[in-house]
């Protein structure tokens, strides 16, 4: 039966206090995100009873209603018509709700606002690198040979995929520069220029810099004979361009307020780029690169020293971090690890956590006996989680019943410990679910698949076992809504 999106939007609007209670509205892949004037006017029980709604919660001053991919776009289109609102971006809604946030929440919000728009490019690059990884892996399909060696005609295809895969990572600072400058209030095009400046071909990449440093021949810019700036690029680096984008935005906004309109186009862009570029290459870049190296080294050393504890904690608490929105911080950490060490051990654990949430939701499909809506929600949200989008599973099925969420946390922790002890790492960020094996180093793919099996079986079994106890006590969510 086709959903009546207008009716659904009307019921949601009525349950949250009417159109006069809505300040701004936006949506992401799965959720309506609303900035409300008075949170106390929301009837959350009524919101959750609306067709297609899988859950609702408040986070960082933003009221979020989980609907699901595809449907959320149509509900949103009807919602803003009924509410008499103009379409807004997620960043605008977060900004409206951001006044209620503490400093840590504001920091997380910055990372979320910067990285969410560029995630598609990162995931596409990760998948292509995974395919490239398979083509060039010796012995994976043919003993003692890569597919390219066995079938030379694949060389051209491999070269093309390799170029496509590397593009987002080679020019990652440009992507971050665009998104970060937009977030900080500057001109996006100047952010792109700044990002490209930091990966200019005249600057050494990480490999070239390492070789030059060992030989004591790092090239420099001689600035009027007063001091020198090393010609070092920041390919794949996150912190340097984030800091540079913030500085660029502040300088640009400062100048726009003071430079007459008649000469702004001539004065503001060139002054902004020259000053920011100088600061980025001379001061900001070296300092933030050092900070990034310390973070990456600290994480690596921690996981090497106490791998079981590190994996246990990450596997257990990643899903709760998703609930709070703090998981966006790990995108930057993953990218920093890839830039510094060539791989990341964090992203594989994230993929397994997503799979575990999907498995717990799938178990609930078999647990629910009489409620067709709950069965449908469990099955569709499980599929969504298996392909990296866990919010429908968590907020629609697992969290309301509690024990599936805990079961998924336990399964995720066990799987994380297993792959960490076996040094499973990803060459790139890919789809955080069942297709995740494509992004794993080929010699560790089988071990990662074992981790996937653990993340499927343990949460499924625990959820099914615990459901018997909850059904006896009448605490199953189905009993409350049937």
């Amino acid at each position: 039966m086709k959903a009546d999106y207008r009716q659904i939007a009307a019921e949601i609007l009525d349950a949250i206090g009417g159109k006069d209670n809505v300040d701004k509205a936006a949506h992401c892949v799965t959720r309506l995100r609303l900035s409300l004037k008075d949170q106390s006017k929301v009837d959350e029980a009524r919101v959750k009873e609306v067709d297609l709604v899988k859950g609702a919660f408040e986070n960082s001053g933003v009221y979020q209603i989980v609907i699901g991919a595809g449907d959320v776009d149509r509900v949103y289109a009807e919602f803003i018509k009924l509410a008499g609102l103009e379409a807004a971006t997620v960043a605008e809604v977060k900004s409206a709700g951001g006044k209620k946030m503490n400093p840590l929440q504001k920091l997380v919000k910055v990372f979320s606002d910067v990285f969410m728009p560029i995630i598609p490019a990162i995931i596409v690059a990760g998948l292509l690198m995974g395919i490239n990884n398979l083509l060039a892996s010796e012995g994976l399909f043919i003993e003692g040979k890569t597919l390219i060696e066995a079938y030379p005609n694949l060389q051209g295809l491999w070269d093309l995929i390799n170029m496509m895969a590397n593009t987002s990572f080679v020019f990652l600072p440009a992507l971050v520069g665009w998104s970060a400058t937009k977030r900080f209030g500057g001109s996006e095009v100047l952010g792109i220029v700044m990002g490209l400046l930091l990966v200019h071909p005249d600057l050494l990449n990480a490999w070239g810099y390492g070789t030059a440093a060992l030989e004591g021949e790092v090239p420099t810019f001689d600035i009027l004979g007063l001091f020198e700036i090393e010609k070092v690029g920041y390919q794949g680096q996150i912190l340097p361009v984030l800091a540079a984008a913030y500085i660029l935005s502040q300088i640009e906004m400062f100048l726009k307020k003071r430079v007459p309109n008649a000469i702004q186009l001539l004065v503001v862009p060139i002054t902004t780029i020259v000053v920011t570029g100088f600061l980025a290459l001379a001061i900001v870049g070296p300092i933030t690169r050092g900070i990034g190296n310390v973070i990456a080294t600290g994480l690596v050393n921690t996981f090497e020293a106490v791998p079981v504890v590190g994996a246990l904690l990450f596997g257990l608490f990643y899903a709760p971090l998703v609930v709070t929105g703090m998981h966006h911080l790990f995108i930057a950490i993953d990218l920093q690890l890839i830039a510094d060490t060539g791989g990341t051990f964090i992203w594989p654990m994230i993929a397994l956590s997503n799979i575990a949430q999907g498995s717990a939701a799938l178990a609930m499909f078999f647990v629910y006996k009489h409620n067709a809506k709950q069965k449908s929600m469990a099955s569709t949200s499980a599929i969504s989680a298996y392909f990296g989008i866990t919010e429908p599973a968590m907020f629609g099925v697992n969290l309301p019943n509690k024990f599936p969420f805990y079961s998924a946390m336990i399964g995720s922790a066990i799987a994380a410990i297993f792959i960490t002890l076996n040094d499973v790492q990803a060459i790139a960020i890919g789809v955080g679910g069942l297709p995740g094996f494509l992004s794993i180093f080929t010699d560790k793919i089988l071990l990662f698949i074992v981790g996937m099996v653990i993340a499927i079986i343990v949460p499924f079994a625990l959820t099914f076992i615990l459901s018997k106890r909850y059904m006896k006590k009448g605490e199953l969510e189905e009993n409350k809504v049937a």
Side-chain angles (χ1 to χ4, degrees):
M1 182 177 176
K2 187 176 180 180
D4 186 341
Y5 296 108
R6 188 173 183 82
Q7 179 63 28
I8 291 168
E11 291 178 14
I12 291 174
L13 189 60
D14 186 52
I16 61 174
K19 64 180 182 180
D20 292 335
N21 194 35
V22 185
D23 184 19
K24 290 183 182 295
H27 74 89
C28 60
V29 177
T30 59
R31 316 178 206 175
L32 281 180
R33 295 176 180 252
L34 310 174
S35 173
L36 303 179
K37 297 174 183 177
D38 186 353
Q39 184 78 31
S40 66
K41 292 183 179 180
V42 175
D43 187 340
E44 194 158 293
R46 284 181 59 201
V47 172
K48 292 180 178 179
E49 289 174 1
V50 177
D51 188 31
L52 294 184
V53 172
K54 299 175 175 63
F57 62 101
E58 185 274 336
N59 182 42
S60 302
V62 177
Y63 192 67
Q64 304 185 33
I65 301 173
V66 183
I67 294 176
D71 288 327
V72 71
D73 305 65
R74 299 176 176 88
V75 172
Y76 175 75
E78 297 297 337
F79 183 90
I80 58 174
K81 288 178 186 176
L82 293 172
L85 298 171
E86 293 185 1
T89 65
V90 172
E92 288 171 337
V93 172
K94 286 182 177 180
S95 179
K99 300 171 184 176
K100 306 172 186 178
M101 295 189 296
N102 61 42
L104 179 58
Q105 289 173 323
K106 289 180 179 179
L107 175 64
V108 173
K109 176 179 174 295
V110 168
F111 278 91
S112 175
D113 292 347
V114 169
F115 287 106
M116 285 302 291
I118 65 174
I119 281 178
I122 294 173
I123 289 178
V124 166
L127 284 174
L128 289 173
M129 288 183 75
I131 295 170
N132 184 57
N133 197 22
L134 296 178
L135 289 173
S137 179
E138 183 176 331
L140 184 62
F141 298 103
I142 300 171
E143 187 175 352
K145 290 184 177 181
T146 68
L147 282 176
I148 297 170
E149 290 172 342
Y151 304 100
N153 288 340
L154 290 174
Q155 183 67 51
L157 177 63
W158 184 85
D159 289 339
L160 179 60
I161 293 175
N162 191 42
M163 184 183 70
M164 293 178 179
N166 285 333
T167 298
S168 291
F169 290 106
V170 170
F171 299 106
L172 183 61
L175 298 177
V176 176
W178 161 74
S179 186
T181 308
K182 181 179 180 180
R183 168 61 180 78
F184 296 135
S187 299
E188 296 98 309
V189 68
L190 295 185
I192 294 172
V193 172
M194 180 53 55
L196 291 173
L197 184 151
L198 294 176
V199 294
H200 194 283
D202 284 352
L203 302 176
L204 292 175
N205 59 30
W207 296 273
Y209 176 70
T211 302
L214 286 174
E215 296 174 353
E217 298 178 355
V218 177
T220 61
F221 295 103
D222 186 343
I223 309 301
L224 303 175
L226 300 174
F227 60 93
E228 296 180 340
I229 299 174
E230 291 185 338
K231 292 183 178 181
V232 180
Y234 297 92
Q235 292 81 357
Q237 297 279 327
I238 298 300
L239 295 181
V241 70
L242 268 179
Y246 177 78
I247 293 170
L248 182 147
S249 300
Q250 295 302 310
I251 292 173
E252 184 185 14
M253 289 188 291
F254 175 86
L255 291 173
K256 280 185 174 180
K257 291 177 181 178
R258 291 160 177 82
V259 175
N261 291 337
I263 59 171
Q264 271 199 12
L265 188 59
L266 177 65
V267 174
V268 174
I270 189 171
T271 305
T272 301
I273 286 294
V274 170
V275 174
T276 308
F278 180 86
L279 292 174
L281 292 174
I283 301 172
V284 175
I287 291 175
T288 52
R289 182 178 60 204
I291 293 172
N293 290 339
V294 169
I295 293 172
T297 302
L299 281 169
V300 170
N301 290 342
T302 299
F303 269 78
E304 286 181 349
V306 282
V308 172
V309 175
L312 173 65
L313 292 175
F314 194 93
L316 274 176
F317 295 114
Y318 178 75
L321 288 175
V322 173
V323 175
T324 68
M326 291 180 66
H327 62 299
H328 294 297
L329 286 170
F330 292 107
I331 299 173
I333 296 172
D334 274 320
L335 293 171
Q336 186 68 45
L337 285 170
I338 292 169
D340 289 346
T341 67
T344 173
F345 53 84
I346 290 179
W347 185 83
M349 291 189 286
I350 291 174
L352 294 181
S353 177
N354 294 344
I355 291 170
Q357 290 293 329
S359 299
L362 183 62
M364 292 305 295
F365 172 81
F366 296 98
V367 169
Y368 288 133
K369 301 293 184 182
H370 311 295
N371 193 307
K373 178 182 177 181
Q374 293 287 355
K375 287 182 74 72
S376 174
M377 185 184 298
S379 60
T380 56
S381 62
I383 294 171
S384 174
Y386 281 151
F387 285 89
I389 300 175
T390 57
E391 285 88 347
M394 287 198 295
F395 296 112
V397 181
N398 298 345
L399 277 170
N401 289 293
K402 296 183 180 64
F403 67 90
F405 190 72
Y406 302 146
S407 299
M409 289 171 62
I410 293 169
S412 169
I414 295 172
I417 290 170
F418 174 81
I419 65 168
T420 298
L421 290 175
N422 287 283
D423 193 30
V424 174
Q425 296 195 32
I427 194 172
I429 297 173
V431 175
L434 294 179
F437 72 92
L438 290 171
S439 299
I440 303 299
F441 283 100
T442 50
D443 61 330
K444 300 291 184 178
I445 286 179
L446 291 179
L447 290 167
F448 181 74
I449 290 174
V450 173
M452 290 171 60
V453 172
I454 294 171
I456 292 171
I457 293 176
V458 173
F460 188 96
L462 280 176
T463 300
F464 210 83
I465 293 168
L466 290 174
S467 70
K468 307 299 181 183
R469 172 178 174 273
Y470 278 77
M471 279 192 287
K472 287 180 182 178
K473 296 175 67 176
E475 295 179 2
L476 189 64
E477 184 72 8
E478 181 182 38
N479 298 330
K480 302 175 186 177
V481 298

